[in-house]
Amino acid sequence: MTMPRAQSEVTFLCVSYLPADIISTVEFNPTGELLATGDKGGRVVVFQREQESKNQPHRRGEYNVYSTFQSHEPEFDYLKSLEIEEKINKIRWLPQQNAAYFLLSTNDKTVKLWKISERDKRPEGYNLKDEEGRIRDPATITALRVPVLQPMDLMVEATPRRVFSNAHTYHINSISVSNDYETYMSTDDLRINLWNLEITNQSFNIVDIKPANMEELTEVITAAEFHPNQCNTFIYSSSKGSIRLCDMRASALCDNHSKFFEEPEDPSNRSFFSEIISSISDVKFSHSGRYLMTRDYLTVKVWDLNMESKPLETYQVHDYLRSKLCSLYENDCIFDKFECVWNGSDSVIMTGSYNNFFRMFDRNTKRDVTLEASRENSKPRAILKPRKVCVGGKRRKDEISVDSLDFSKKILHTAWHPSENIIAVAATNNLYIFQDKVN
């Protein structure tokens, strides 16, 4: 699988999200047939890939809306006098076991397991009810009828199967499903809890970094993920730029890590912003389980699980912003949490930036490309042109000056199809789907 070239064909999909309903998470299911987005309004929209057309076999199936449902509602914590936002922080799919699909969605406090199923038949001919569903008078029932299933218009239903609540004091920032598909973990700023998918009234605390005196708090947990092939191993990242790998076979409470990944800071580069920009906003295992990728404010790093001392590869996402850290701090952009994703073969990585730019890095050829997700440049079946940012000096015609970047347009959430060169990019309240050009 190669990096989508500059000539990437565009399938542009725009969902009519309200301005307040900014997309807050994007996730393909394990087969890539479905794509789910969550938004600030607590809504989940699921897109399904259409079957390939026999008339146009070279055109791959496009994604259309399959189901929309309200996953979370705003709540109020009366004990702490706090409003709990309905915003969906993360969505994770479970592998498909039968005709239905299952996904986990979470806001700041509550994780829900949803079942999405299809219904195209309805039973008719009840004995105790009439056709409108009213209970019949037993005196009028003179014969037994055998109910029959009649065809009806296809209906997609989303039903909550489990609600996992009351286990987090702080805001949940990530959820991850174990490869045993029986357990998952939910992570907040100071604790990680392990749940069984069948049990909602108890969870096990597997990491707790809360100090006895909160004034001694020096770091928080920013993300966590299970190893893709080993259900006993997981990683979590911190706001200090470190990653800890834990093994649940060693102890029930993973206070001591098995491995500790951290790049020592160059004293000559130290500044007021060093600690803020070194905070890790996302961490992801490669599909093979051999590598892990971390995203901080300015870089993406790839680590080998067998080498803790320094990253294997470091990619500069937007190094031209290093001189603008002061203004980015003043407008709070320096606290933005960018995500990163692998392609299906772990050879290309992708992450977002400002001005609706997103970056791709090919690990084999060391080539990189900056592309833009915007309505103006994204007509269906158009070719995406690479973008360049210039820092001072003369600006070429096709370049954009670092001073004219729009920091309100940011790509925080991206997803890559598990096996094909199809990517989903969330640009505030628009969803774009790009795919490699088909010759």
Side-chain angles (χ1 to χ4, degrees):
M1 204 163 159
T2 57
M3 179 165 84
R5 302 169 295 287
Q7 300 93 320
S8 286
E9 191 171 90
V10 180
T11 305
F12 166 54
L13 187 79
C14 180
V15 195
S16 57
Y17 287 84
L18 297 168
D21 294 345
I22 292 165
I23 300 174
S24 52
T25 184
V26 186
E27 188 79 10
F28 279 101
N29 80 332
T31 62
E33 184 198 349
L34 299 180
L35 168 69
T37 65
D39 68 24
K40 274 186 85 173
R43 187 171 57 146
V44 172
V45 181
V46 180
F47 301 90
Q48 185 180 44
R49 196 176 185 191
E50 283 190 348
Q51 297 301 312
E52 290 188 14
S53 165
K54 289 181 181 174
N55 305 331
Q56 297 171 299
H58 65 282
R59 281 185 65 166
R60 286 177 279 186
E62 296 180 0
Y63 286 84
N64 290 315
V65 176
Y66 177 62
S67 174
T68 304
F69 58 94
Q70 190 70 28
S71 175
H72 287 70
E73 301 281 356
E75 296 174 57
F76 192 79
D77 186 334
Y78 292 98
L79 288 174
K80 295 181 181 170
S81 295
L82 280 176
E83 285 185 28
I84 301 169
E85 273 191 323
E86 65 273 39
K87 174 189 162 205
I88 309 292
N89 292 341
K90 281 284 183 291
I91 289 171
R92 288 289 178 265
W93 289 92
L94 296 173
Q96 192 177 1
Q97 308 284 351
N98 50 36
Y101 302 95
F102 289 88
L103 64 82
L104 288 165
S105 65
T106 184
N107 68 348
D108 286 341
K109 299 288 182 187
T110 305
V111 184
K112 293 185 180 181
L113 174 67
W114 288 88
K115 176 185 178 183
I116 302 167
S117 53
E118 295 182 355
R119 200 151 58 105
D120 60 358
K121 290 185 175 65
R122 66 168 181 270
E124 284 184 2
Y126 287 109
N127 288 290
L128 302 178
K129 296 178 185 171
D130 62 19
E131 301 308 324
E132 272 73 51
R134 293 186 296 262
I135 302 293
R136 292 168 66 186
D137 180 2
T140 64
I141 300 172
T142 56
L144 280 176
R145 294 195 292 177
V146 178
V148 290
L149 290 172
Q150 297 288 0
M152 58 178 273
D153 291 339
L154 179 68
M155 217 166 84
V156 181
E157 296 176 316
T159 49
R161 297 305 301 267
R162 310 260 190 286
V163 177
F164 306 89
S165 57
N166 304 323
H168 285 276
T169 309
Y170 308 98
H171 291 176
I172 298 172
N173 56 46
S174 55
I175 47 177
S176 178
V177 182
S178 164
N179 80 323
D180 62 11
Y181 307 128
E182 291 180 7
T183 55
Y184 77 91
M185 63 181 176
S186 56
T187 307
D188 67 25
D189 294 343
L190 300 179
R191 294 189 180 105
I192 301 176
N193 291 336
L194 181 71
W195 300 82
N196 187 301
L197 282 161
E198 300 292 326
I199 301 166
T200 60
N201 60 358
Q202 68 176 28
S203 62
F204 298 95
N205 182 223
I206 52 175
V207 172
D208 189 347
I209 65 165
K210 185 181 179 184
N213 179 5
M214 280 296 270
E215 288 178 4
E216 296 168 9
L217 182 68
T218 57
E219 65 181 330
V220 294
I221 302 170
T222 55
E225 188 176 69
F226 267 116
H227 191 283
N229 313 321
Q230 299 165 11
C231 60
N232 54 281
T233 309
F234 67 92
I235 45 169
Y236 69 90
S237 58
S238 87
S239 57
K240 274 193 162 177
S242 59
I243 309 108
R244 291 169 175 85
L245 184 134
C246 301
D247 189 336
M248 289 189 285
R249 294 173 301 187
S251 66
L253 186 63
C254 300
D255 280 348
N256 298 316
H257 45 267
S258 306
K259 292 191 175 184
F260 183 78
F261 303 86
E262 188 175 46
E263 186 172 29
E265 191 189 3
D266 182 355
S268 62
N269 287 340
R270 178 138 189 90
S271 73
F272 170 76
F273 305 108
S274 293
E275 202 165 300
I276 303 172
I277 63 172
S278 67
S279 174
I280 293 172
S281 56
D282 196 17
V283 60
K284 292 265 170 61
F285 272 110
S286 63
H287 295 85
S288 66
R290 171 70 192 272
Y291 305 101
L292 58 94
M293 169 169 55
T294 60
R295 169 75 209 257
D296 56 42
Y297 191 67
L298 293 176
T299 65
V300 173
K301 297 184 173 104
V302 175
W303 303 75
D304 189 320
L305 283 191
N306 299 327
M307 186 169 74
E308 299 168 59
S309 56
K310 61 177 183 178
L312 199 63
E313 302 153 21
T314 301
Y315 301 97
Q316 299 295 336
V317 178
H318 38 216
D319 203 44
Y320 46 78
L321 295 182
R322 207 175 278 277
S323 61
K324 301 227 166 289
L325 293 178
C326 191
S327 56
L328 290 163
Y329 177 76
E330 287 169 0
N331 65 14
D332 279 350
C333 283
I334 202 167
F335 302 107
D336 285 334
K337 292 177 169 48
F338 292 95
E339 294 173 7
C340 51
V341 287
W342 301 86
N343 74 336
S345 60
D346 300 332
S347 60
V348 184
I349 55 184
M350 173 173 66
T351 191
S353 180
Y354 293 104
N355 207 68
N356 279 359
F357 288 168
F358 59 97
R359 306 266 284 134
M360 288 183 181
F361 304 93
D362 191 313
R363 297 179 59 215
N364 300 323
T365 64
K366 303 303 176 193
R367 285 169 53 235
D368 65 89
V369 66
T370 303
L371 300 170
E372 183 181 4
S374 71
R375 282 170 175 258
E376 296 76 43
N377 304 337
S378 302
K379 296 184 176 70
R381 307 279 155 203
I383 303 288
L384 271 189
K385 291 192 179 124
R387 302 302 307 266
K388 280 202 172 70
V389 178
C390 75
V391 188
K394 282 192 174 179
R395 182 167 65 89
R396 290 184 189 163
K397 190 175 80 168
D398 58 342
E399 289 183 337
I400 182 167
S401 163
V402 68
D403 296 316
S404 56
L405 293 174
D406 187 344
F407 293 107
S408 66
K409 294 178 177 174
K410 56 192 86 168
I411 290 176
L412 304 177
H413 315 287
T414 55
W416 203 308
H417 189 287
S419 57
E420 296 182 40
N421 268 344
I422 298 176
I423 57 172
V425 173
T428 53
N429 56 340
N430 291 326
L431 177 69
Y432 298 82
I433 294 180
F434 303 103
Q435 64 182 32
D436 218 6
K437 190 173 190 299
V438 185
N439 293 320

